[in-house]
Each structure stands twice: as structure tokens, then as C-alpha cells.
Amino acid sequence: MLKTAPSKVSTKRSAAMAVSWRIIGTFDTLVLSWLVITYIGPLFGHLGTHSDALQAATYIAITEVITKTVLYFLHERGWARVDWGVSTENSRRKESGWRSTSKTATWRITASLDTTLLAWIFSGNLGTAVSIGGIEVFTKLILYFFHERMWSRIQYGITPPVADPDAVAEEDAPHPPGSGGHNH
């Protein structure tokens, strides 16, 4: 069997993933924040108009474009250094569902803490902020998992694996009969 070195993930791929996720995530945050501030916020004493709620939700969403893009890029670069759950089939990098699940969990913890902090800053109400951060855990876990699975099928920014020359030389070397070597 031919051994290959693991494929490498480029920074361009990490950046493209950060941008595509940020579009999805920002839209979700905008809608979710507006709904929570408008309908759940009053339960925590956050009183304001629909216009005030939309303004706060917009500030949260716009600010998180910056914070989350940076955090997501760093998260992707960190995971690019970890080979766990990565295999190569037919010269293509393949990521396991367990890897996607683990990346989803670590990203969601980071991102929800960021959203909660921004929601607190812009709504001025900790209860509303925790509600936004808590509810988004569920919406974003689902969205992020499918985002990861989609990207696991795209080869953009993946450096193809290179055959290990030592493994090739070993494969081609003569093997004594009965040694388990496969010379044809």
C-alpha cells in the first residue's frame, strides 16, 4: 500500500471558509438578536421599540463580522495543524464526521461567548444577552455542522498529498518468499 503524507490546508481556504461562514452566521445573529430583544428582552426589563431592537441587533451583527472573522480564521488555522480525523482517499483530503463535530463544538463555545458579550454591550441587558447567546447555540450548531460538511467536500485550498519516497522504495524492494511482502 502506498503511504502518503497528509494533505495541507492553505490560509486561502481558511479565509474562504471564514467569509462563507460569516455570511451565514451574521444573518442568523441579526434575525435571532432582533427576535430575542423584541420578544424576550421585555421579560428581563429591556424596554424599547422595534426600531431600538433592530438597531441593537444590527450593531451586534455588524460588530461580530469583525470579531468572528478574526476568531474563525484563528480557529481554522488551529485545526489545520491537527491531523486527527483527516484521511486521504484517491488523492483527496477527507474529514470525518467526528472531526466536523469536534470543530463545531470548539467553535460554538468561542463564538457564543463572543455573541453574548456583544449582545450585553449593545442591549445593555445581561439577561437578554445570555438569551441571545443561549438560543444561538442551537441555531448555529446546526448551521455550522452543515457548513463544515459542505466544505469537507470542496478541495479548494487543499495541497494534494505527496507520496512518501521511503514508502515507495520499501514497496518496490524485493521481499523474501513468505515474508508478507507483495512483489508482483
Side-chain angles (χ1 to χ4, degrees), residues 52-112:
D52 293 338
L54 182 58
Q55 183 179 19
T58 301
Y59 286 153
I60 294 165
I62 289 171
T63 304
E64 89 166 16
V65 167
I66 298 163
T67 60
K68 294 283 196 324
T69 299
V70 171
L71 290 171
Y72 186 89
F73 179 79
L74 294 173
H75 182 261
E76 275 303 306
R77 294 313 302 153
W79 273 98
R81 296 173 183 262
V82 178
D83 288 334
W84 172 78
V86 177
S87 62
T88 303
E89 285 183 20
N90 300 323
S91 298
R92 291 177 56 102
R93 178 185 174 96
K94 185 170 172 68
E95 294 190 3
S96 71
W98 284 112
R99 180 181 173 92
S100 294
T101 301
S102 298
K103 285 178 71 176
T104 299
T106 57
W107 170 245
R108 183 56 8 230
I109 291 166
T110 303
S112 290

Side-chain angles (χ1 to χ4, degrees), residues 2-17:
L2 183 64
K3 294 181 183 176
T4 57
S7 55
K8 298 295 178 191
V9 177
S10 72
T11 55
K12 287 181 182 179
R13 179 182 176 87
S14 296
M17 290 179 73

Side-chain angles (χ1 to χ4, degrees), residues 87-177:
S87 62
T88 303
E89 285 183 20
N90 300 323
S91 298
R92 291 177 56 102
R93 178 185 174 96
K94 185 170 172 68
E95 294 190 3
S96 71
W98 284 112
R99 180 181 173 92
S100 294
T101 301
S102 298
K103 285 178 71 176
T104 299
T106 57
W107 170 245
R108 183 56 8 230
I109 291 166
T110 303
S112 290
L113 289 172
D114 181 61
T115 298
T116 302
L117 179 62
L118 293 175
W120 188 17
I121 290 168
F122 291 113
S123 75
N125 186 289
L126 183 59
T128 300
V130 170
S131 296
I132 292 169
I135 294 170
E136 89 153 7
V137 167
F138 299 104
T139 61
K140 295 279 189 359
L141 277 173
I142 293 164
L143 291 170
Y144 184 83
F145 181 81
F146 286 109
H147 178 263
E148 278 297 306
R149 297 312 298 154
M150 178 195 72
W151 272 99
S152 75
R153 297 168 192 243
I154 297 170
Q155 292 300 303
Y156 172 77
I158 301 289
T159 304
V162 180
D164 182 351
D166 294 332
V168 173
E170 184 180 302
E171 184 75 19
D172 293 338
H175 298 282

